[in-house]
Amino acid sequence: MEKKNHCIVMVPSPGLSHLIPLVEFSKRLLSFQRENLHVKFIVPTLGAPSSSMKSILNNSLPPNSSFIILPQINIEDLTEKSDPATQMKETVKHSLPFIHQELTSLSSTNHLVAILFSVFSTDVIDLASEFNLLTYLFFASGATLFSFCFHFPQLDQDADDSSKNSLLELTDPVHVPGCSVRFQVKDLPDPVLFDRSSEVYKSFLAVVKNYSLVDGVIMNTFTDLEPDAVRALQQEHNNNIGEKNVPFVYPIGPIIQSETSNEVNKLECLTWLDNQPPRSVLYISFGSGGTLSQEQLNEIAFGLELSGHKFLWVVRAPSNFGGSAYLSQQKEDPLHYLPSGFVERTKEQGLVIPSWAPQIEILGHGSVGAFLSHCGWNSTLESVSHGVPVIAWPLFAEQRMNAVLLKDVLKVAVRPEANEDGIVKREEVARVVKGIIEENEEGLKMRKRIKELSDAAAAALSENGSSMKALSSLALKWQNI
């Protein structure tokens, strides 16, 4: 009888920032060339798959892997239509019958070993026991955020004991085990700032309570980036007492793309960068879905012009919600929303690109001196890996926590100050751009520090590095089941 493949099932949450790290993880996992190991992506979707998603799935998956895109979930079927995190969770929950169907089909021809799922796909745990699968949370962010999420039920209980309707009523900064700084409540992830009786808050609480049910957590970080947080989680696992299960953590990062699969705007961006002086260009991008208000878009434009420094800016159409392009594609031409005459006036100073640019190649280019970033974790790891200091400009989700980590813990970022209306004015934009590009004393320290972290990232991924050892132990465990 022919030996069945050992099959690892991967269920990303909707959105590119969850799919990309899982795809890159699968490449690294299968690079060990374990015999009879196969990876199957089961991809829930809210609305039509984007061209970027199709490109990644069709062109970037490694050998010994395959995918299926599940039937689309209609946004009208969701109870919460405004919060992206809750949308993602509900999309996966509505997709469970389709996931069950795929697992049934796979089990007839494969030896199913484990199911990996992203942070908002934890409802698939309910299917794992039926198919006798090990369960692994693929946490595409870092150890500090995971520590906050894992311990969040206790913070919720404390708020309940003190009759708080919202965590915004808390006055003291929040301690996260394994982190040397405390977080202001306003910098915590968006869902926890809702009223505690809201569906958004309750959905987030339900998700993080599931984290104690998994067999392990695969984490997109590396030990030298967050040593205290990783150590604290490992110690808690080793000291598991009573009913509280702290799963074993596998820090296997940084997992980032090595090259961009989408060719859109690539030639134009790289040709332009080739003609700029070393470390002279500020790259500006707010990730795969971040958006700004019209007023803030104008202030950045005027601030860049005022700074006099080179820039490469990925522009999206404005929105009053910072993540409006995350789960849906924009159709407008974003350049129409820039101040009148801006593109013409700055044509010798900068390059404006609509909607999308090849970020990996840009950050790896010698002309780039800094990155104005929304501080999504993928972008954070990419800036660290390429040794590019950051102007931290968080918009939504957990990005404010990442910004605090970059600025106050890792000390590789500056964070511009907003006015009382939450707008960063053009003078402040110009100030931080000049400070980081012109390499004042603070800028030089940041550049030295991020170079050290870049070297540490490379070391973690070397043959005997900490991340490769963690991944090797995990692959061997699966192979022997």
Side-chain angles (χ1 to χ4, degrees):
M1 179 181 290
E2 183 180 354
K3 189 175 182 181
K4 290 184 177 181
N5 282 326
H6 280 56
C7 184
I8 310 298
V9 178
M10 299 191 180
V11 184
S13 303
L16 282 183
S17 65
H18 294 280
L19 175 63
I20 290 172
L22 264 180
V23 170
E24 295 302 314
F25 171 73
S26 70
K27 291 179 184 177
R28 196 169 294 170
L29 172 67
L30 294 171
S31 71
F32 282 94
Q33 297 181 336
R34 306 289 182 185
E35 291 184 3
N36 300 319
L37 191 62
H38 183 86
V39 169
K40 179 74 173 190
F41 283 87
I42 300 177
V43 185
T45 57
L46 180 63
S50 68
S51 58
S52 297
M53 174 189 284
K54 291 178 181 177
S55 175
I56 288 168
L57 291 171
N58 286 314
N59 303 323
S60 297
L61 293 187
N64 289 358
S65 64
S66 58
F67 72 91
I68 182 167
I69 298 177
L70 298 179
Q72 300 169 26
I73 302 301
N74 190 330
I75 192 170
E76 296 305 319
D77 293 334
L78 307 185
T79 58
E80 176 56 55
K81 301 179 180 63
S82 60
D83 177 63
T86 312
Q87 282 186 27
M88 286 186 276
K89 182 180 186 302
E90 286 199 39
T91 298
V92 175
K93 189 167 187 177
H94 279 72
S95 299
L96 287 179
F98 304 120
I99 297 172
H100 185 278
Q101 183 178 333
E102 288 303 318
L103 290 175
T104 301
S105 176
L106 279 171
S107 64
S108 66
T109 55
N110 295 268
H111 172 46
L112 300 186
V113 174
I115 187 166
L116 277 65
F117 41 86
S118 301
V119 290
F120 299 113
S121 300
T122 57
D123 282 321
V124 303
I125 290 175
D126 296 337
L127 303 178
S129 58
E130 178 179 347
F131 293 92
N132 197 29
L133 295 172
L134 293 173
T135 55
Y136 290 85
L137 172 65
F138 185 85
F139 199 74
S141 296
T144 303
L145 179 63
F146 178 80
S147 182
F148 167 77
C149 292
F150 187 82
H151 295 96
F152 177 71
Q154 182 59 56
L155 184 63
D156 173 73
Q157 183 60 54
D158 294 342
D160 195 46
D161 292 343
S162 55
S163 301
K164 296 287 191 297
N165 294 319
S166 168
L167 295 191
L168 289 170
E169 297 175 27
L170 299 175
T171 55
D172 294 334
V174 174
H175 169 64
V176 175
C179 187
S180 59
V181 303
R182 291 177 178 265
F183 293 88
Q184 299 298 321
V185 173
K186 63 182 176 60
D187 285 329
L188 298 180
D190 284 345
V192 310
L193 303 182
F194 281 74
D195 189 280
R196 293 179 59 241
S197 64
S198 70
E199 287 302 316
V200 173
Y201 184 96
K202 289 189 288 187
S203 176
F204 179 83
L205 183 60
V207 165
V208 298
K209 282 183 175 179
N210 281 335
Y211 290 178
S212 64
L213 304 178
V214 301
D215 293 299
V217 179
I218 302 164
M219 202 170 287
N220 193 8
T221 190
F222 56 101
T223 302
D224 284 344
L225 184 68
E226 302 177 275
D228 294 338
V230 170
R231 189 180 306 113
L233 289 166
Q234 289 175 337
Q235 288 176 347
E236 280 195 90
H237 170 78
N238 293 335
N239 298 332
N240 270 339
I241 297 174
E243 297 181 359
K244 184 180 180 183
N245 173 53
V246 182
F248 190 82
V249 297
Y250 297 87
I252 45 76
I255 293 178
I256 61 173
Q257 290 179 293
S258 56
E259 61 181 354
T260 306
S261 60
N262 195 329
E263 296 294 319
V264 175
N265 299 325
K266 182 184 283 190
L267 182 62
E268 182 180 5
C269 289
L270 298 183
T271 300
W272 185 82
L273 285 172
D274 286 342
N275 293 316
Q276 310 308 318
R279 296 199 312 208
S280 65
V281 176
L282 173 69
Y283 171 55
I284 306 153
S285 175
F286 293 94
S288 58
T291 49
L292 303 167
S293 68
Q294 180 66 69
E295 182 180 2
Q296 188 61 83
L297 194 72
N298 291 343
E299 291 300 320
I300 288 183
F302 289 129
L304 292 172
E305 196 171 355
L306 190 61
S307 77
H309 283 290
K310 302 276 188 178
F311 64 86
L312 194 166
W313 185 8
V314 184
V315 176
R316 284 199 183 87
S319 168
N320 289 327
F321 171 61
S324 66
Y326 189 71
L327 292 177
S328 60
Q329 301 179 70
Q330 293 186 317
K331 296 181 173 62
E332 311 101 317
D333 180 357
L335 303 193
H336 289 164
Y337 294 91
L338 292 171
S340 178
F342 171 78
V343 174
E344 179 64 25
R345 291 194 307 272
T346 60
K347 64 182 180 181
E348 300 300 324
Q349 178 188 353
L351 177 64
V352 181
I353 294 293
S355 302
W356 196 92
Q359 181 159 297
I360 294 296
E361 288 81 358
I362 290 171
L363 289 175
H365 198 285
S367 294
V368 173
F371 181 16
L372 194 158
S373 170
H374 68 310
C375 302
W377 193 249
N378 288 341
S379 291
T380 294
L381 290 179
E382 288 163 4
S383 64
V384 166
S385 296
H386 290 288
V388 180
V390 173
I391 297 175
W393 198 301
L395 297 177
F396 64 100
E398 87 296 352
Q399 294 162 12
R400 293 179 298 273
M401 283 190 74
N402 294 340
V404 172
L405 184 71
L406 284 165
K407 177 180 178 292
D408 298 330
V409 180
L410 300 178
K411 301 187 186 304
V412 295
V414 293
R415 193 168 175 181
E417 294 185 9
N419 64 13
E420 61 275 8
D421 297 321
I423 299 296
V424 179
K425 302 297 286 185
R426 64 195 69 180
E427 295 82 7
E428 176 69 357
V429 173
R431 182 187 71 82
V432 294
V433 171
K434 287 181 178 180
I436 203 165
I437 294 293
E438 294 174 5
E439 297 187 354
N440 57 21
E441 184 177 356
E442 181 185 17
L444 288 171
K445 287 181 179 178
M446 282 193 297
R447 195 168 297 282
K448 180 175 182 292
R449 173 62 179 150
I450 204 162
K451 175 63 167 61
E452 293 170 349
L453 289 175
S454 177
D455 292 343
L461 298 178
S462 65
E463 185 176 354
N464 294 311
S466 59
S467 293
M468 294 306 282
K469 287 180 179 178
L471 180 57
S472 178
S473 68
L474 186 61
L476 188 60
K477 178 177 182 177
W478 291 341
Q479 185 66 21
N480 289 333
I481 292 176

